[in-house]
Amino acid sequence: MNKSKGWMESEISKALTKWEKDFLGRGSVSVKTDILRDMIIVSLHGILTPAEYALCESKEGMLAVKRSRTSLVESGVDDLKEMIFEITGEQVKSFHTDLSTRTGERIIVFKLFNDLEKQLPK
């Protein structure tokens, strides 16, 4: 494998931003990807709309935003796993995500079957 860690992290960030725009209709303000051992950790900033921030002022609204955003992302998880495979050559073992309705950030963790970081050139 001749792809560098930085190249893969950049490609994953770009692909995830494109997926957000194509699948969800809008993208985040910024995306940062880190490969750590057998995990790919993606931090997305600025994902909530002004209307969603307003909804999050009540507990019911916050829970509704979290539920709907999580359902949307989970419905596209197969595309995300395929995207990771195409860039890294590694299969995704599990997918984890959470959203902060206070900061408008989402964290996505792709857990891989193998230690990708160990395979990459330094």
Side-chain angles (χ1 to χ4, degrees):
M1 184 181 306
N2 58 358
K3 301 172 185 174
S4 73
K5 181 178 173 183
W7 180 87
M8 276 190 193
E9 290 168 339
S10 175
E11 288 300 302
I12 291 167
S13 292
K14 285 190 255 179
L16 197 53
T17 299
K18 182 179 178 345
W19 176 84
E20 282 184 302
K21 288 178 180 168
D22 293 347
F23 190 75
L24 302 174
R26 69 182 299 270
S28 52
V29 173
S30 68
V31 180
K32 174 75 172 105
T33 300
D34 293 291
I35 296 170
L36 179 65
R37 296 185 302 273
D38 63 343
M39 295 176 286
I40 297 171
I41 303 161
V42 185
S43 177
L44 303 102
H45 301 273
I47 65 165
L48 295 179
T49 65
E52 288 171 320
Y53 278 116
L55 270 176
C56 290
E57 291 176 11
S58 72
K59 182 168 177 126
E60 299 79 26
M62 180 216 27
L63 293 172
V65 168
K66 276 181 109 62
R67 258 192 315 273
S68 66
R69 281 296 187 132
T70 298
S71 293
L72 286 170
V73 171
E74 294 274 347
S75 68
V77 76
D78 290 338
D79 293 337
L80 293 172
K81 288 179 178 180
E82 179 62 27
M83 175 194 75
I84 294 297
F85 179 74
E86 287 174 7
I87 294 169
T88 67
E90 290 293 326
Q91 293 285 339
V92 175
K93 184 194 296 188
S94 60
F95 170 86
H96 310 273
T97 186
D98 194 23
L99 162 70
S100 169
T101 54
R102 191 171 44 80
T103 63
E105 298 170 310
R106 172 179 295 287
I107 297 292
I108 297 175
V109 178
F110 297 95
K111 186 88 162 125
L112 307 174
F113 282 97
N114 298 301
D115 186 335
L116 177 60
E117 187 177 33
K118 200 181 278 186
Q119 300 172 34
L120 297 173
K122 298 286 180 220

